[in-house]
Amino acid sequence: MRDAYHEELDSIGEDLVEMARLVGSAIGRATTAMLDADLNLAETVIAADQRVDDLQHELEARAIALLARQQPVATDLRIVVTSLRMSADLERSGDLAQHVAKLARLRFPDKAVPHDLHATILEMGQLAQRLMAKAAEVIITKDVDLALQLEQDDDEMDLLHRALFQHLMDDRWKHGIETAVDVTLLGRYYERFADHAVSVAKRVVYLVTGEHADDLQTPTSVEGA
């Protein structure tokens, strides 16, 4: 019975990894669909989000069943509860990728992003995909050091997000209000996607150590400040 119990715990972890890989792929494909005005690709991203939702529902059902049958304590309880929270982060990430694809579909055959912002949006999409790939690796390896690195990596997304807003606020902006709204939304989608990847990594830190990631971060030296 205990072997079956731990197999269930392992299966929950495997579902989390699959969800992370699916949403990472989704944000990459959604970015391509948007920048290339590829309607077919956008539709596949939108439809594929159902698989992420299904995985979350299956994971929740198994986790609740484990809580009811096994009444896990200590580390095992932490695994189940933390996994539920990670699945919520990953499901929301999938929704954000879907939002990007829906914007591509909404503006088709036109492109939502003006040419002079293509490079920035492409970089944000690629970074979002890399962050989620690293989050998947953290789930697999339970590497606390790697998990803590994600928050530093996310600083790059914050810089890109700020650069996007600076471009929007520039007096030379000539693409109109509708495009400004689209770009603002896109920036928010990528920024939130990255935040969810960081959240997943932080939850792994808690799962492994029992401590919150923010409490383990090395304080930045303020000497000379």
Side-chain angles (χ1 to χ4, degrees):
M1 183 176 291
R2 296 300 295 178
D3 287 345
Y5 168 54
H6 285 290
E7 285 176 6
E8 280 292 315
L9 286 177
D10 290 342
S11 179
I12 288 173
E14 290 167 2
D15 278 357
L16 288 171
V17 172
E18 183 175 358
M19 288 179 72
R21 288 174 173 166
L22 286 171
V23 300
S25 173
I27 197 67
R29 291 182 295 119
T31 301
T32 299
M34 182 184 53
L35 294 178
D36 294 349
D38 187 330
L39 181 60
N40 289 333
L41 183 56
E43 293 287 8
T44 64
V45 174
I46 293 165
D49 187 57
Q50 185 61 49
R51 175 58 181 157
V52 177
D53 293 343
D54 290 344
L55 279 169
Q56 188 198 22
H57 296 156
E58 292 165 12
L59 186 154
E60 285 181 343
R62 284 205 304 276
I64 291 169
L66 277 177
L67 289 171
R69 291 197 315 267
Q70 300 293 338
Q71 298 181 347
V73 295
T75 302
D76 288 348
L77 179 61
R78 195 159 69 233
I79 291 171
V80 175
V81 173
T82 303
S83 295
L84 284 169
R85 290 173 176 169
M86 284 193 283
S87 74
D89 279 314
L90 294 168
E91 189 276 335
R92 183 58 185 145
S93 298
D95 287 345
L96 290 164
Q98 188 183 58
H99 291 340
V100 174
K102 284 182 175 179
L103 183 55
R105 182 175 67 182
L106 177 66
R107 298 304 176 209
F108 181 83
D110 296 323
K111 296 181 180 180
V113 180
H115 182 73
D116 51 338
L117 284 177
H118 271 220
T120 301
I121 293 296
L122 177 60
E123 191 173 356
M124 293 180 84
Q126 291 174 338
L127 177 58
Q129 191 168 6
R130 290 198 304 272
L131 285 168
M132 192 56 74
K134 188 174 284 190
E137 185 179 353
V138 167
I139 296 171
I140 295 168
T141 63
K142 307 296 190 292
D143 186 330
V144 171
D145 290 335
L146 183 62
L148 293 174
Q149 287 175 17
L150 249 78
E151 190 159 19
Q152 297 174 7
D153 294 341
D154 183 48
D155 290 343
E156 186 179 346
M157 183 67 81
D158 293 337
L159 290 173
L160 288 168
H161 195 208
R162 284 198 292 271
L164 200 63
F165 267 95
Q166 288 171 359
H167 200 98
L168 288 168
M169 299 301 292
D170 195 305
D171 291 339
R172 292 169 292 179
W173 176 263
K174 59 182 183 298
H175 304 293
I177 294 175
E178 183 177 85
T179 300
V181 171
D182 288 347
V183 171
T184 299
L185 288 172
L186 285 171
R188 182 61 173 163
Y189 296 154
Y190 289 117
E191 189 262 343
R192 290 298 299 142
F193 188 99
D195 285 347
H196 284 298
V198 172
S199 179
V200 168
K202 284 184 172 182
R203 295 191 195 284
V204 173
V205 172
Y206 177 70
L207 188 156
V208 172
T209 68
E211 297 184 61
H212 294 287
D214 292 342
D215 296 332
L216 296 177
Q217 295 283 7
T218 302
T220 300
S221 173
V222 294
E223 292 182 7

